[in-house]
Amino acid sequence: MNELKGETITISKLFSEDFFFRVPEYQRPFSWEDENFEDLVADLTDADRAQEYFLGTIVLQRKDQNNNYDIVDGQQRLTAISILLACIRDRLKNEKLKEDVHGKLLQSENLLDDVPEKTRLEVKDRKIYSELVIEKNGTLADKKEKGLPEPEWRYVRAINIFKEQINKLDEDNLASLARFVSQKCVLIYLSTSTFDDAFRLFTIVNDRGKQLRRIDILKSVNIDPTVVKSDAVRTRIAQQWEEMEKDVGEDVFENIFHLIRLILVKEKPQGDLLKEFEERIFKKNILSKGEKFIDTITDYVNLYKSIFDDRDIDFDSDIISNKYKSLMFIMNSEFKASEWKSCILFFAKKFNCTFLYDFLLKIEKVYLSQWVKGMRKDERFAEYSGILKTIEDNNSPDVIIKSITYDSKEILNACENNNFYGAGYAKYFLLRLELLASEHDAPVDYSAKSIEHVLPQTPKKGSDWEGWNNLDEIDEYVNTVGNLVLLSKGKNSSAKNYNFDVKKDKYLNPRVTSYPRSVLVLGEKEWGKDVIEKRNCDVKETILNAL
């Protein structure tokens, strides 16, 4: 490989006159999501300022001898760090420190060394980046996300999320954060002078991540000859590891390590997965390296498969078994975060799945309460850590289940949301209502194709809808839960404004939907405000009884 270079480097060095970065045209746009921004700023503001913080690996192609580099991998991370630095700069009051931070983003002209004034990072979205990041006080502008095209709104979104956190810091803490980011935040950078070689590095780092995945490094340290003396044992557990990964899939396998880490540490992570196991698990003798570690992973992988994938758990009755399988299917499908699974795994392992369905019902409500409140990741970690500690400290499953609390009022308020249709949790609630209306004579895997308004959002003049509703008032209830049903098969979107009788026949008869609550709509002869409001009340009562 031609002129390969690699080293661990601080932001101070990386954002200096030794490096100027460009996002090449073949790269995708800036595409980080809220959770990426939230995790970055939360991790940095909460980190131990005396310790180094690892920000990941970037791959660069050196373009010339003037320190110009194309970013082959890592542009999302470098862009986000630049935005964060701009937010810190604009909030600082110390003018010298403010200017030093600004120098990370815009290199000042240096006549002595022939260094021109130059933007440190040249992104594809130059106009919005220059306006918000390069311009001093750019992040202070009251710019709205709404109406901005993709990906410009993401820059504004990042700024708003970063500002929400750093605005909580006083000047001293903000200055400390700035120094920490510059001096203690490190990356691994790999660079070469040709695109082919740089792309090969990118492939090594990203295609299956074999070279740099943290779990593969964990594997190597746990089958090291100094840890496992026997060649035969090393071969056996290495094969055991590979079979587990193949069995559940790479993504699930890696996620199980994060779940196990939370079970063992019972606190939010303070570093990457490798560091968590090395520093907070192995060094503290919570779990020993070698066969014990591999056996623990194996136990949890097998348990994960039984609980979440196969849903093959022995219960006292077929009804409970069917309820469990149906509920687990929609939780697994619709719950985006996965920390709740740590609690399920730990409880099931400790009590051999006894009372698992009752425990699952409580964890479901905990998750829903967090979801409707928009709880941040670190707050979720705190709640689940508390539950894990309770499981560890008690030998009675009944005591543990009774001790779990959640905000039932927030869940009920979510059901009364006038724009329930637009809420991210709408589909899950509607699926859950269908389960509550089911007979449970067999497990059902509800996977809705779409959410349908019974009363259309824009009904036609002169239609039956107008006869049953004041069309000037329907905005108050057209998007409420009582007017929404799930379709289990595809729908013809051009038919959404049909009259009620036609719509029932085309959308809601059993040929199109298998959902019992949706089929109930067939029993209504008219569909107006009174019917919808009654269904809203019924939903609240149903959810209340299920809490």
Side-chain angles (χ1 to χ4, degrees):
M1 189 171 285
N2 191 22
E3 294 184 41
L4 173 63
K5 186 176 182 181
E7 64 177 287
T8 301
I9 191 169
T10 63
I11 292 294
S12 174
K13 178 68 173 174
L14 196 67
F15 281 47
S16 73
E17 63 184 40
D18 292 337
F19 292 89
F20 295 98
F21 305 104
R22 184 181 77 95
V23 178
E25 288 304 314
Y26 58 78
Q27 288 281 17
R28 63 178 179 167
F30 186 48
S31 58
W32 262 20
E33 302 286 353
D34 284 11
E35 189 170 10
N36 300 119
F37 301 132
E38 289 166 356
D39 287 350
L40 177 65
V41 69
D43 288 349
L44 293 180
T45 52
D46 293 345
D48 182 349
R49 302 284 167 83
Q51 299 293 321
E52 284 190 343
Y53 185 86
F54 180 61
L55 286 168
T57 302
I58 60 173
V59 178
L60 308 172
Q61 179 194 357
R62 184 159 189 158
K63 300 298 290 183
D64 55 36
Q65 298 304 310
N66 296 319
N67 300 330
N68 292 307
Y69 294 83
D70 274 0
I71 305 172
V72 179
D73 184 45
Q75 63 121 335
Q76 306 286 337
R77 200 173 309 120
L78 291 182
T79 304
I81 293 167
S82 297
I83 298 170
L84 178 61
L85 286 172
C87 291
I88 294 172
R89 173 200 64 198
D90 295 344
R91 172 80 161 68
L92 285 166
K93 296 177 182 177
N94 183 309
E95 289 298 327
K96 180 62 174 70
L97 187 55
K98 183 191 290 279
E99 193 63 33
D100 290 342
V101 176
H102 185 63
K104 299 297 179 188
L105 304 170
L106 180 67
Q107 176 66 50
S108 300
E109 182 181 28
N110 183 332
L111 295 176
L112 179 63
D113 296 327
D114 291 325
V115 178
E117 182 183 82
K118 190 173 182 180
T119 301
R120 184 80 53 215
L121 173 62
E122 185 181 307
V123 300
K124 297 170 72 173
D125 319 293
R126 298 177 189 177
K127 185 175 183 298
I128 191 78
Y129 184 82
S130 177
E131 177 183 344
L132 298 177
V133 177
I134 301 304
E135 291 292 330
K136 292 180 181 178
N137 298 322
T139 68
L140 301 181
D142 187 20
K143 201 170 185 67
K144 305 297 183 185
E145 301 164 37
K146 189 175 181 180
L148 287 175
E150 179 82 36
E152 292 185 12
W153 67 269
R154 294 185 188 273
Y155 290 90
V156 179
R157 184 65 179 157
I159 288 169
N160 290 338
I161 291 172
F162 291 159
K163 283 166 63 176
E164 182 181 355
Q165 292 305 306
I166 66 174
N167 283 347
K168 298 175 184 178
L169 305 177
D170 60 28
E171 177 74 5
D172 287 342
N173 277 320
L174 190 62
S176 173
L177 174 63
R179 294 186 182 95
F180 171 74
V181 171
S182 181
Q183 299 172 25
K184 293 294 185 179
C185 288
V186 300
L187 300 98
I188 295 173
Y189 94 93
L190 305 170
S191 74
T192 187
S193 59
T194 70
F195 174 80
D196 287 345
D197 285 342
F199 188 78
R200 194 172 300 118
L201 281 173
F202 168 80
T203 303
I204 291 170
V205 172
N206 288 277
D207 184 15
R208 301 177 180 265
K210 294 299 184 187
Q211 303 286 333
L212 295 173
R213 277 195 322 175
R214 293 306 184 248
I215 61 170
D216 288 305
I217 301 174
L218 275 173
K219 176 184 175 182
S220 68
V221 301
N222 278 277
I223 61 174
D224 188 278
T226 61
V227 176
V228 180
K229 306 294 185 183
S230 166
D231 290 342
V233 173
R234 284 203 307 276
T235 300
R236 175 181 62 78
I237 61 179
Q239 185 176 0
Q240 184 177 330
W241 181 291
E242 290 165 9
E243 288 174 353
M244 284 190 292
E245 181 166 12
K246 183 178 179 181
D247 192 22
V248 297
E250 291 181 358
D251 292 341
V252 169
F253 189 57
E254 186 164 1
N255 187 51
I256 290 172
F257 282 81
H258 290 278
L259 300 178
I260 295 171
R261 185 219 67 83
L262 181 55
I263 291 169
L264 297 176
V265 178
K266 299 176 184 64
E267 291 180 1
K268 73 177 183 179
Q270 296 177 2
D272 65 46
L273 191 64
L274 177 61
K275 185 175 180 180
E276 286 288 297
F277 272 93
E278 287 284 9
E279 300 293 330
R280 306 182 76 188
I281 295 173
F282 297 143
K283 281 189 177 180
K284 294 185 178 181
N285 295 317
I286 294 174
L287 185 64
S288 58
K289 292 181 181 179
E291 286 188 86
K292 179 65 174 176
F293 173 76
I294 304 296
D295 288 343
T296 300
I297 300 300
T298 302
D299 287 344
Y300 275 114
V301 167
N302 292 336
L303 193 57
Y304 185 100
K305 277 194 64 185
S306 297
I307 292 172
F308 302 108
D309 294 344
D310 301 335
R311 294 172 285 155
D312 185 18
I313 306 297
D314 289 330
F315 291 101
D316 292 336
S317 74
D318 289 341
I319 293 291
I320 296 299
S321 178
N322 294 337
K323 285 183 175 182
Y324 170 83
K325 289 179 179 179
S326 302
L327 177 58
M328 181 57 76
F329 181 83
I330 63 169
M331 289 175 67
N332 226 355
S333 301
E334 301 299 325
F335 286 1
K336 304 307 178 189
S338 64
E339 301 95 358
W340 61 279
K341 293 182 178 180
S342 289
C343 299
I344 301 294
L345 285 170
F346 193 35
F347 183 91
K349 191 172 190 296
K350 181 168 184 175
F351 299 109
N352 196 27
C353 295
T354 305
F355 295 102
L356 183 60
Y357 180 66
D358 300 290
F359 183 75
L360 179 67
L361 290 174
K362 278 295 189 75
I363 294 299
E364 178 201 22
K365 306 306 183 299
V366 170
Y367 188 101
L368 289 178
S369 174
Q370 296 170 347
W371 197 358
V372 300
K373 288 193 289 188
M375 186 177 287
R376 291 176 58 236
K377 190 173 183 179
D378 57 343
E379 296 173 301
R380 297 200 308 266
F381 268 113
E383 284 201 6
Y384 292 125
S385 297
I387 294 172
L388 290 168
K389 290 171 184 175
T390 301
I391 297 171
E392 184 174 56
D393 294 340
N394 288 274
N395 291 319
S396 167
D398 188 53
V399 169
I400 294 167
I401 291 168
K402 287 179 180 177
S403 72
I404 296 173
T405 60
Y406 53 89
D407 197 335
S408 59
K409 185 177 179 181
E410 288 287 349
I411 298 175
L412 290 175
N413 288 342
C415 296
E416 297 176 326
N417 186 349
N418 283 344
N419 188 27
F420 186 88
Y421 176 71
Y425 49 77
K427 184 180 175 184
Y428 183 83
F429 272 81
L430 291 170
L431 286 167
R432 191 66 172 95
L433 289 166
E434 296 292 353
L435 283 186
L436 291 169
S438 298
E439 296 293 334
H440 304 296
D441 52 349
V444 289
D445 292 351
Y446 284 147
S447 181
K449 292 289 186 182
S450 61
I451 300 174
E452 170 66 6
H453 292 79
V454 181
L455 165 65
Q457 292 172 292
T458 54
K460 293 179 180 179
K461 295 284 186 181
S463 64
D464 290 343
W465 308 113
E466 186 176 29
W468 303 324
N469 297 274
N470 181 340
L471 300 189
D472 293 331
E473 298 177 354
I474 65 169
D475 286 348
E476 299 173 11
Y477 56 89
V478 71
N479 289 315
T480 60
V481 64
N483 189 47
L484 302 174
V485 292
L486 292 173
L487 302 187
S488 57
K489 299 180 182 178
K491 66 177 184 177
N492 179 1
S493 61
S494 65
K496 62 185 179 182
N497 286 333
Y498 280 168
N499 276 332
F500 190 36
D501 288 343
V502 177
K503 195 167 196 178
K504 285 193 290 185
D505 181 61
K506 288 186 176 293
Y507 281 175
L508 301 173
N509 68 46
R511 288 182 292 106
V512 180
T513 183
S514 59
Y515 298 144
R517 179 177 171 273
S518 299
V519 171
L520 289 176
V521 175
L522 294 171
E524 301 292 340
K525 295 182 178 179
E526 298 182 356
W527 197 266
K529 183 177 181 180
D530 291 345
V531 173
I532 294 171
E533 289 187 341
K534 181 181 182 305
R535 281 170 60 88
N536 286 338
C537 290
D538 290 344
V539 165
K540 186 174 180 180
E541 187 68 23
T542 300
I543 295 295
L544 185 63
N545 290 334
L547 294 177

